[in-house]
Amino acid sequence: MNCSRNRGSQSNSGKSFARKPVLRKIYQQFYQQIAAHVSGSNNSLVVEIGAGPHGASKVIPHCLQTGLYNAPWVDRVENAYQLSFETGMVSDLIMVDVFHHLQYPGAALQEFYRVLRPGGRVILFEPCISLLGFFVYGLFHHEPMGLSKTIEWKFPDNWDARAMDYYAASANAWRVFCKNKGRRAIQKRWKVMACRRIAAISYVASGGHTKPQLYPEFLLPLMRMLDAICQMAPALFATRILVVLEK
């Protein structure tokens, strides 16, 4: 993650978010779904790891937005593998499109477990590889799906989290939480409170951060109706997954 490619993607995300009102509205809906699972009250410490310009604080005002690099929307620089928070200090950790950039997810989850209070939650929002998801992420997404890659749970000896390389495997959350590639290890320590596949056709057709928008803004309500219809067949149409883990 620690490379110029990641810095460039942050810049592109900010530009696309500024020029696409549809994208802003869609992310607001995503964060509303996330906010419904936050365990803490207004006085709790809710932290977003790897925040983008869409940012959780627009929906959860008391959320602290962190990132690997400084950016206009980042309150504090943090590394997911070596968080600066004290043990048991955080009520909730939110991550949108971050888990699939963690080359060693087990090591990161161990650190999340440390900083969370009892009953605290990790809330992930990630790509989902349904039939449509396979088509979208396989043919049109700039990041690899990594379907055949071994998911390395723990980092090797003498590995330095401050010098990590860029890593992406967009299918990782789906593989871990839907296909059980590591879920058993997670269940030894965490309660899986939710694992919901979401048909976000409106997001796919918006073009996201890198592709052209395929419908005008005034059709967003119609696209959300399409989302609701496609939600009845998540194995075919889900392109997002919402996962909630509780300590």
Side-chain angles (χ1 to χ4, degrees), residues 121-174:
R121 292 181 171 183
V122 173
I123 306 171
L124 311 174
F125 202 83
E126 287 285 319
C128 183
I129 312 301
S130 63
L131 182 63
L132 177 61
F134 184 85
F135 178 75
V136 169
Y137 295 110
L139 295 182
F140 297 104
H141 198 50
H142 63 283
E143 295 173 344
M145 286 195 292
L147 287 171
S148 61
K149 283 185 179 179
T150 299
I151 298 175
E152 301 175 86
W153 204 244
K154 296 182 179 180
F155 50 73
D157 293 338
N158 301 319
W159 182 74
D160 187 353
R162 295 167 298 178
M164 49 189 174
D165 296 324
Y166 179 84
Y167 173 86
S170 57
N172 273 8
W174 173 80

Side-chain angles (χ1 to χ4, degrees), residues 198-210:
I198 299 169
I201 311 300
S202 56
Y203 173 75
V204 171
S206 77
H209 292 289
T210 60

Side-chain angles (χ1 to χ4, degrees), residues 202-243:
S202 56
Y203 173 75
V204 171
S206 77
H209 292 289
T210 60
K211 304 298 180 185
Q213 185 172 310
L214 301 182
Y215 62 92
E217 183 181 357
F218 74 87
L219 287 181
L220 180 57
L222 185 62
M223 295 301 297
R224 284 176 170 165
M225 289 176 62
L226 180 60
D227 287 342
I229 293 170
C230 291
Q231 189 64 40
M232 293 186 285
L236 295 177
F237 299 114
T239 57
R240 288 287 185 170
I241 182 173
L242 174 68
V243 177

